[in-house]
Amino acid sequence: MASASTFSGFSLGEATQRKLRKFSELRGKPVTAEEFWDIVAITAADEKQELAYKQQLSEKLRKKELPLGVQYHVFVDPAGAKIGGYSQRLPNASALGKIFTALPFGNPIYQMLELKLAMYIDFPSHMNPGILVTCADDIELYTVGESEFICFDKPGITALAHPSDLTVGTTHGVFVLEPLHYLECKDLEYRCCYRFLHKPSIEKMRQFDAVCRPEKLSQQYYAGGDTSSLKLDSEYVYTDSLFYMDYKSAKKLLSFYEKIGTLNCEIDAYGDFLQALGPGATMEYTRNTSNVTKEESELIDMRQKIFHLLKGTPLNVVVLNNSKFYHIGTTEEYLFHFTSDNNLRLELGLQDITFSIFPAKTECPGKASCVIQSILDSGCFVEPGSVVEYSRLGPDVSVGENCIISGVCIQTTAVLPAYSFVCSLSLKINGHLKYSTMAFGVQDNLKKNVQALSDIKFLQFFGVCFLSCLDIWNLKVTDKLFSGNKTCLSLWNARIFPVCCSLSESVTTSLKMLNAVKNKSTFKLNNYMLLSMEEMLIYKDVEDMLAYRDLIFQEVTLTEKQAFQKTS
């Protein structure tokens, strides 16, 4: 076994930077079929989201932030059960999409879409015709030998696998691999999968021999990431991230879909496709509905049909022993990775201040504030651990620690309490431009729901009983308090956010309701038009939100240009 320093041709950081440079060279330039993807497809939950995605893609192509000559498509979910979601665990990505989440590096800034395309930059030239399936809220970093490449050239389905501790395995897919015929681990290994387990218990991992012993991995693999934070003496499993299906497999699924027509139940591309694969697969999983968002009567029957359709399809696994998998799908993950995770900071080159104007900066060992495409006055104060994106903050604004601030404009004196989530949206209501700002605690569970009005006391807003908050805001408990499904009552569909005529007024008003809860004072909301977060997405005005971001972009660009002229 080679030592950690000489085992690979590149370190993880070096390999990541090489991919970023290679992608950067293609931005704004026509590409050939051999060097990039033929089609980049993004799924949207509904027609409003589809429109938002298309508008953002058009902006990126106009600004030459993406390779040209590629077919970029957005496909809206057909009628029936949904594929795409609304990012309820990271609501600043809800309006414009997780795949367009801003990242703290690049000039112009990278979003998740560009990062995904950069990290997969070597794939197309080593891939047979087929489809690569990936998620919008995770980052996969990897390195292989200097003369090695990940190849997707085997029939069936091919998935990437990352070494992870057993606890991580309980929230991911876990591969039960066929035994190795050699003793030493390599950066890159091509393995056959006997069985795939979807979010299994640790007991189940052991039962099906998915657990690996620590002597197989070198010390270099035990550091950082959501899936590689292993202790030197710990057992581990191999967890999933993205997967590829060859043309024949994709055609088989398409023909099946065309035959059955509309889907009336939620089918998971990972749980329902991959669990049907491998010689050890059984139909047992088709009856397990513990990980299903919404259980439908047709679910088990549909899963069994898919099992019989895919059974016998090979499941190949590309084991990446020197890799990391980061999930950025929740407010807490988002804050940690952008402000406190030194590993990801070094590997991706994350910055404290990215494409922004912010003369002041607070230093704190082990934790930083993160400012992305924003304009902050020199008198503004942002505590470490907080993220500010696409915003303007005046001289008398103070942001507490561990906050997420997105799309706001505050020019008056304002204090944003620690652990606040504040995000403004432009709205088009009856043809008129309006604004509303969602404000709550970053640790609030927006998806937690109750079935009856009498049970809303079990919901919490900023750590306070929701019923008590309604008293503070002088709101009555009636059927009109919630939008949408009246038997699924949550913070997500609670009508508590004021609609205002200006962006700054909207932010100020929502901050007053937030601080009222924090300070146990009174702030009456009953005279305002109120919307839920669910409704804000329905009324969102994507064009105005993008225009606001572009104004900030133009001002930052001009300031940087003037600064450059002064120094040259």
Side-chain angles (χ1 to χ4, degrees):
M1 176 69 73
S3 68
S5 59
T6 59
F7 190 85
S8 305
F10 299 99
S11 72
L12 202 56
E14 290 171 334
T16 300
Q17 291 303 315
R18 180 193 64 80
K19 297 182 186 80
L20 288 170
R21 286 193 298 271
K22 188 173 179 181
F23 175 74
S24 182
E25 291 171 2
L26 299 181
R27 294 177 91 180
K29 299 175 183 175
V31 291
T32 62
E34 293 77 23
E35 61 183 342
F36 202 65
W37 305 95
D38 299 308
I39 296 172
V40 175
I42 303 172
T43 60
D46 55 37
E47 290 180 358
K48 293 283 286 187
Q49 201 175 70
E50 177 192 27
L51 175 63
Y53 290 4
K54 285 182 175 179
Q55 286 178 291
Q56 288 175 94
L57 283 172
S58 296
E59 276 292 292
K60 285 183 177 295
L61 291 169
R62 183 180 68 83
K63 293 179 177 178
K64 297 186 176 181
E65 295 175 4
L66 294 172
L68 307 180
V70 180
Q71 296 183 56
Y72 295 96
H73 290 291
V74 180
F75 294 102
V76 66
D77 286 355
K82 297 300 179 187
I83 301 171
Y86 295 102
S87 187
Q88 289 171 265
R89 296 188 298 166
L90 188 64
N92 55 314
S94 296
L96 299 179
K98 286 189 286 188
I99 195 64
F100 298 102
T101 299
L103 301 172
F105 73 96
N107 187 351
I109 61 166
Y110 270 59
Q111 294 180 329
M112 282 297 293
L113 176 60
E114 290 96 315
L115 180 59
K116 288 280 179 182
L117 294 174
M119 292 303 98
Y120 309 154
I121 194 72
D122 296 326
F123 291 176
S125 57
H126 300 88
M127 179 182 286
N128 286 350
I131 298 172
L132 190 78
V133 179
T134 186
C135 297
D137 59 3
D138 59 42
I139 299 170
E140 304 96 350
L141 306 181
Y142 69 91
T143 182
V144 296
E146 197 166 347
S147 59
E148 291 183 306
F149 294 95
I150 296 175
C151 296
F152 298 90
D153 55 1
K154 293 182 173 60
I157 290 179
T158 301
L160 300 191
H162 313 269
S164 312
D165 67 40
L166 273 56
T167 303
V168 169
T170 62
T171 58
H172 289 73
V174 173
F175 299 101
V176 181
L177 300 176
E178 299 281 9
L180 272 175
H181 298 298
Y182 48 87
L183 295 177
E184 293 182 345
C185 277
K186 304 173 183 177
D187 277 0
L188 173 64
E189 298 174 355
Y190 292 95
R191 306 276 295 274
C192 293
C193 185
Y194 178 75
R195 184 170 185 163
F196 178 83
L197 309 174
H198 187 57
K199 299 182 179 179
S201 65
I202 291 176
E203 180 184 16
K204 195 169 185 180
M205 295 178 210
R206 297 190 188 281
Q207 178 188 345
F208 290 103
D209 293 327
V211 179
C212 304
R213 304 291 174 256
E215 61 269 13
K216 292 286 185 183
L217 284 183
S218 155
Q219 181 175 347
Q220 73 181 83
Y221 301 128
Y222 293 84
D226 291 350
T227 60
S228 294
S229 51
L230 303 175
K231 296 178 181 177
L232 287 175
D233 58 350
S234 64
E235 299 172 312
Y236 62 96
V237 290
Y238 284 109
T239 56
D240 64 344
S241 59
L242 60 84
F243 69 87
Y244 154 90
M245 61 175 76
D246 69 350
Y247 176 81
K248 182 179 178 182
S249 301
K251 186 69 176 175
K252 183 189 290 186
L253 281 166
L254 179 59
S255 299
F256 173 74
Y257 174 72
E258 290 172 340
K259 182 179 177 181
I260 63 170
T262 302
L263 268 176
N264 294 314
C265 56
E266 179 186 327
I267 294 299
D268 187 294
Y270 290 81
D272 294 321
F273 292 171
L274 301 189
Q275 283 189 104
L277 309 178
T282 70
M283 285 212 306
E284 177 190 359
Y285 77 90
T286 61
R287 297 180 178 84
N288 180 1
T289 58
S290 60
N291 292 313
V292 176
T293 304
K294 184 179 179 184
E295 188 174 342
E296 304 287 356
S297 57
E298 299 178 23
L299 178 62
I300 294 175
D301 179 59
M302 186 57 62
R303 280 180 164 181
Q304 291 178 350
K305 287 178 179 177
I306 292 172
F307 173 81
H308 290 297
L309 176 77
L310 294 178
K311 186 166 175 60
T313 302
L315 177 53
N316 315 291
V317 175
V318 179
V319 172
L320 297 171
N321 282 313
N322 196 359
S323 66
K324 293 180 185 176
F325 174 98
Y326 296 90
H327 191 254
I328 309 185
T330 70
T331 54
E332 291 179 313
E333 290 170 339
Y334 177 86
L335 286 172
F336 171 71
H337 289 309
F338 284 8
T339 68
S340 306
D341 188 343
N342 288 326
N343 289 310
L344 185 60
R345 175 176 294 264
L346 290 171
E347 291 151 3
L348 272 182
L350 302 187
Q351 301 167 322
D352 297 345
I353 302 173
T354 307
F355 198 66
S356 297
I357 302 170
F358 185 28
K361 180 178 177 296
T362 307
E363 298 289 343
C364 179
K367 194 184 260 190
S369 56
C370 176
V371 180
I372 307 170
Q373 195 166 320
S374 295
I375 299 172
L376 279 62
D377 190 274
S378 58
C380 174
F381 183 76
V382 180
E383 287 274 9
S386 291
V387 177
V388 179
E389 63 167 9
Y390 302 119
S391 295
R392 290 177 180 268
L393 303 182
D396 300 312
V397 178
S398 176
V399 178
E401 64 176 347
N402 298 317
C403 292
I404 297 175
I405 312 300
S406 179
V408 309
C409 178
I410 312 175
Q411 297 299 335
T412 56
T413 300
V415 176
L416 286 74
Y419 296 89
S420 298
F421 180 99
V422 183
C423 176
S424 297
L425 270 65
S426 305
L427 311 173
K428 188 63 69 72
I429 301 176
N430 297 325
H432 299 287
L433 180 62
K434 302 289 184 180
Y435 300 89
S436 190
T437 298
M438 55 180 84
F440 49 88
V442 293
Q443 296 172 326
D444 288 346
N445 185 351
L446 306 186
K447 298 179 81 170
K448 181 180 179 179
N449 65 82
V450 294
Q451 295 182 333
L453 287 172
S454 58
D455 291 329
I456 64 172
K457 59 181 176 287
F458 297 114
L459 301 177
Q460 287 199 326
F461 178 94
F462 219 116
V464 176
C465 170
F466 188 53
L467 205 55
S468 301
C469 296
L470 296 177
D471 288 337
I472 288 171
W473 301 325
N474 199 32
L475 295 179
K476 295 178 180 178
V477 180
T478 68
D479 286 341
K480 293 182 179 179
L481 181 62
F482 293 90
S483 62
N485 188 343
K486 302 301 182 182
T487 60
C488 184
L489 312 177
S490 67
L491 293 184
W492 181 256
N493 63 353
R495 289 182 170 131
I496 57 175
F497 298 111
V499 176
C500 300
C501 292
S502 72
L503 177 56
S504 56
E505 181 193 0
S506 164
V507 182
T508 302
T509 307
S510 289
L511 283 178
K512 287 178 180 177
M513 64 173 281
L514 188 67
N515 279 304
V517 171
K518 189 75 175 172
N519 301 324
K520 296 182 173 59
S521 56
T522 301
F523 181 69
K524 295 182 179 180
L525 289 176
N526 52 314
N527 291 326
Y528 289 92
M529 176 185 179
L530 301 174
L531 295 180
S532 66
M533 285 180 264
E534 180 180 58
E535 290 173 316
M536 288 165 72
L537 296 186
I538 295 171
Y539 290 114
K540 66 187 176 190
D541 186 330
V542 174
E543 191 172 338
D544 190 69
M545 283 187 281
L546 293 180
Y548 179 62
R549 291 183 176 188
D550 193 55
L551 282 175
I552 295 174
F553 176 90
Q554 298 297 342
E555 190 168 335
V556 173
T557 301
L558 179 61
T559 301
E560 288 188 344
K561 184 178 179 181
Q562 290 172 342
F564 176 77
Q565 288 173 343
K566 285 181 181 179
T567 57
S568 60

